[in-house]
Amino acid sequence: MSKRNVLRQAGSDGPPSFEDSKNRRQRARAAGMNPNYWYAVEYDAAIKKGEAKEVIFWKESIAVFRGMDGQLNAILNRCAHRQLKLTGGEVKGCRMVCPYHGWEYDGQGRVTHIPHDLFGRKMPKFRVHRYPLKVRYGLIWIFPGDPALAESRPLPHIPELEGPDAWPCVPFDNTWTAHHSMIIDNVSDFTHEYLHRAHMPFSDAKLLDMQVEEDRVSLTYDSKIGGGKWMAPFVDQSKVKTDRIDLCYDYPYQWSNTGGKIKHHLFVLPIDERRTRAFFLFYFKALKIPMLPITIPRWVMIPVLKIANKVIFDPLIGEDGWAVEAEQEGYDACYDAPMAEINPAVHEFQKLTIRKWEEHLETAKSQPAVRIEANCDAPA
Ligand code: FES
Ligand SMILES: [Fe+2]
């Protein structure tokens, strides 16, 4: 097959939809994420009592609100009446109030009060979808798919972040103008050392092993990890094996492990074909005081990590953010270009993303998601 294409230019029709393409890269770049998993959508601390926030999972707007009882709820962010966003309104007690006619919703998504004339009817039954919600690792998690599957589908389990000896961790996030598959490709593809030449978080990476099993692509690179002038002084090379890293696209999550001592998880929230919010959790068993063979005490690790996020990770991850946004711009302009990808892992990531989205579309055909229910005697 020819590998030469005439590039379509920006301003033509734009990249094809998932259904309209047979090309693997185009399908990967148009795929959503399977909703039958738990997705991190916001920080627990970001929503106080009496507050509401809009979060978006793959084009679906969700209202997350905390009632005055402290309870968090997630319901479809569309009023059953005329589909306004409920987050344009206010939280009153434990209810979300629509800004237009003031219909009130409880945490189950039921309309419990209509403050105007009912035209002689008894209170009608209206309801919007309620999403299962949990809080873990300082993050709010929502199950956007079939609620009946929520309890049997586990949230990510990170033993290092639990219990009295939990490793310190300060999550941070970025919202990038890039498809989620570009971010997954970026974080596990260690051929992009050049991008980070100023920080050198990894160098001389060689793919040592790749395993593809079920919904997981696992990789091992031989690579020098945690080098560079910013990170190296904090890593005790005598205690941490920094010449190898394991990475995994553990659908829909991504994680890494260096020597059992330096780890991270990445949780992506797909917003649409061109926007993704990415929550990063870096956690370390121990860091040392630069220039001294002394481990930083646990009790000061949280402030140290807050500074590290600003000084080390923001600039470093910012380079990745710049790259994936530039890649999105490049893809939008040249989505017809031949696939010039030589890392076998990237091919496997894309195949997994496509397969999981196909799985979802297949299920959705036979069980379309009901988001608004109206059971009233209103004339048709
Ligand atoms: S549109 Fe929400 S109450 Fe009318
Ligand atoms: Fe990177």
Side-chain angles (χ1 to χ4, degrees):
M1 193 166 70
S2 168
K3 299 276 177 158
R4 299 173 64 212
N5 288 46
V6 176
L7 296 185
R8 264 186 246 179
Q9 294 301 312
S12 61
D13 296 343
S17 69
F18 186 81
E19 290 81 358
D20 287 344
S21 179
K22 297 214 170 347
N23 172 292
R24 176 148 50 77
R25 183 175 69 142
Q26 291 175 348
R27 282 164 70 78
R29 299 301 186 234
M33 292 196 105
N34 191 313
N36 284 324
Y37 288 87
W38 290 93
Y39 288 87
V41 295
E42 190 47 273
Y43 301 103
D44 182 31
I47 304 177
K48 310 264 183 297
K49 280 184 189 173
E51 287 182 356
K53 257 188 198 278
E54 176 190 25
V55 302
I56 300 174
F57 176 85
W58 199 248
K59 306 171 211 177
E60 185 161 288
S61 181
I62 300 167
V64 183
F65 69 97
R66 195 187 295 274
M68 294 312 289
D69 59 353
Q71 186 72 39
L72 273 168
N73 306 287
I75 61 176
L76 183 74
N77 196 17
R78 294 285 169 196
C79 180
H81 188 202
R82 307 238 181 111
Q83 291 75 56
L84 269 75
K85 285 187 177 175
L86 298 171
T87 45
E90 58 176 347
V91 178
K92 195 166 107 189
C94 296
R95 293 173 184 172
M96 188 76 235
V97 185
C98 178
Y100 196 175
H101 307 88
W103 291 17
E104 297 185 11
Y105 292 79
D106 68 6
Q108 299 296 311
R110 293 177 295 223
V111 177
T112 52
H113 180 62
I114 295 180
H116 55 74
D117 187 13
L118 295 181
F119 306 96
R121 302 170 203 283
K122 58 180 195 306
M123 177 69 184
K125 286 190 180 139
F126 297 119
R127 182 183 199 134
V128 297
H129 185 71
R130 169 198 162 258
Y131 302 81
L133 178 152
K134 289 185 194 280
V135 174
R136 190 178 282 180
Y137 310 132
L139 298 169
I140 299 169
W141 299 79
I142 281 178
F143 196 87
D146 180 355
L149 301 175
E151 281 312 312
S152 59
R153 181 76 78 177
L155 265 84
H157 174 50
I158 311 176
E160 293 87 348
L161 299 186
E162 293 176 11
D165 287 328
W167 299 11
C169 175
V170 180
F172 62 93
D173 74 289
N174 288 282
T175 300
W176 288 321
T177 308
H179 188 268
H180 54 86
S181 66
M182 291 178 185
I183 298 170
I184 295 294
D185 289 357
N186 165 275
V187 282
S188 291
D189 169 22
F190 271 31
T191 57
H192 72 277
E193 171 185 339
Y194 181 77
L195 174 73
H196 299 305
R197 57 200 176 280
H199 298 98
M200 301 286 281
F202 54 86
S203 51
D204 300 326
K206 308 265 182 310
L207 185 60
L208 200 64
D209 187 41
M210 177 172 74
Q211 303 289 332
V212 183
E213 43 179 0
E214 295 181 357
D215 297 341
R216 203 172 289 131
V217 181
S218 311
L219 316 173
T220 302
Y221 286 100
D222 257 346
S223 177
K224 174 115 195 58
I225 305 296
K229 64 178 181 215
W230 291 109
M231 249 193 110
F234 291 94
V235 178
D236 190 341
Q237 308 283 345
S238 67
K239 293 198 181 134
V240 189
K241 204 167 149 29
T242 54
D243 57 0
R244 189 162 292 188
I245 184 167
D246 296 320
L247 293 135
C248 188
Y249 179 23
D250 198 352
Y251 191 92
Y253 315 121
Q254 191 273 339
W255 54 259
S256 77
N257 175 6
T258 303
K261 306 257 171 61
I262 304 173
K263 300 189 174 189
H264 94 265
H265 265 82
L266 162 64
F267 303 118
V268 289
L269 173 65
I271 297 172
D272 58 30
E273 284 89 348
R274 289 183 180 77
R275 281 182 305 159
T276 307
R277 190 170 181 189
F279 292 91
F280 290 92
L281 281 68
F282 283 89
Y283 45 105
F284 305 84
K285 186 159 173 97
L287 292 176
K288 74 178 196 64
I289 297 171
M291 324 253 263
L292 297 172
I294 300 172
T295 302
I296 297 174
R298 277 277 165 99
W299 61 273
V300 280
M301 278 289 278
I302 292 293
V304 166
L305 283 179
K306 283 186 180 160
I307 295 167
N309 280 354
K310 283 267 162 287
V311 176
I312 300 172
F313 292 112
D314 272 3
L316 174 65
I317 301 293
E319 291 175 339
D320 292 305
W322 174 85
V324 293
E325 291 192 338
E327 180 177 353
Q328 182 71 56
E329 186 275 329
Y331 176 68
D332 286 340
C334 309
Y335 55 88
D336 246 2
M339 180 114 161
E341 182 54 61
I342 58 174
N343 185 343
V346 171
H347 293 273
E348 294 303 328
F349 302 153
Q350 294 183 3
K351 282 191 221 164
L352 178 53
T353 295
I354 291 168
R355 179 166 60 77
K356 295 302 291 183
W357 187 239
E358 281 172 340
E359 258 176 37
H360 160 66
L361 293 179
E362 204 45 48
T363 315
K365 250 194 250 164
S366 52
Q367 302 162 22
V370 176
R371 289 308 195 223
I372 299 180
E373 289 172 65
N375 177 15
C376 69
D377 59 350

